């Protein structure tokens, strides 16, 4: 029993010394209000946002840490902005929030570049959407951006009819094409009519102005 008590006392002493050497920071809701030295001032000294060239030199771990630091800073700035608005005061240096968001966007671009490079090296192509040539519902050539589907193309009823070129001259497609041409003609006639009315109105106003000057 005495040996066990001595071991426990030794462990408690070591743990207390470690806690004394490495104090644990107490977090509170006041962290959302930023640095207390910046309270009540009309201007705050701020720097520029992180550039992509600088972020490319950092490791993925450093980018991860920097991302969460920027999130914390963004939350603090948004809280301060809302508090100033509630008190009816001007928020000093509102461009700080834009700089933080620009830095976060640059981090996302840097990570996307690295992911694209790794996938091109391992798989031969980059992930994500691609711009490909396709046909629309009326079998007209078009360019579209690919996206993920839960069902393959050959089994998807949305694209099944597009793989049958003989349906281009179907009654449904011809009716839709005719309706589209009529819509374009009507819009063109409407634009021409509006242009003529505007021109006549301008000529009428010019005539009234000249008559007032003569009188």
């Amino acid at each position: 029993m005495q040996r066990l008590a001595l071991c426990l006392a030794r462990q408690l002493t070591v743990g207390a010394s470690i806690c004394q050497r490495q104090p644990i920071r107490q977090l509170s809701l006041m962290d959302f209000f930023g640095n207390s030295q910046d309270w009540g001032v009309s201007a705050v000294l701020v720097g520029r946002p992180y550039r992509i060239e600088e972020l490319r030199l950092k490791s993925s771990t450093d980018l991860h840490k920097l991302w969460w630091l920027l999130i914390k800073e963004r939350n603090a700035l948004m809280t301060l902005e809302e508090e100033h608005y509630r008190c009816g005061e001007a928020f000093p240096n509102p461009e700080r929030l834009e700089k933080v968001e620009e830095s976060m966007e640059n981090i996302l671009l840097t990570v996307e570049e690295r992911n694209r490079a790794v996938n091109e090296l391992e798989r031969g192509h980059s992930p994500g959407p691609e711009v490909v040539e396709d046909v629309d519902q009326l079998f007209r050539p078009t360019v579209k951006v690919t996206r993920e589907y839960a069902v393959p193309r050959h089994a998807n009823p949305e694209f099944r009819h597009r793989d049958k070129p003989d349906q281009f001259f179907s009654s449904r497609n011809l009716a839709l094409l005719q309706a589209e041409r009529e819509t374009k003609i009507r819009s063109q006639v409407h634009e021409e009519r509006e242009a003529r009315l505007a021109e006549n109105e301008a000529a009428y106003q010019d005539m009234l102005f000249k008559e007032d000057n003569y009188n």
Side-chain angles (χ1 to χ4, degrees), residues 106-121:
N106 291 337
I107 290 179
L108 292 178
L109 292 176
T110 304
V111 174
E112 184 180 356
E113 288 180 356
R114 295 184 181 181
N115 292 337
R116 187 184 302 111
V118 171
N119 282 274
E120 289 180 355
L121 181 62

Side-chain angles (χ1 to χ4, degrees), residues 16 30 52 54 95 105 121 189 192:
M30 297 305 297
I52 298 181
E54 299 173 342
E95 70 276 1
E105 291 177 359
L121 181 62
V189 171
E192 293 177 355

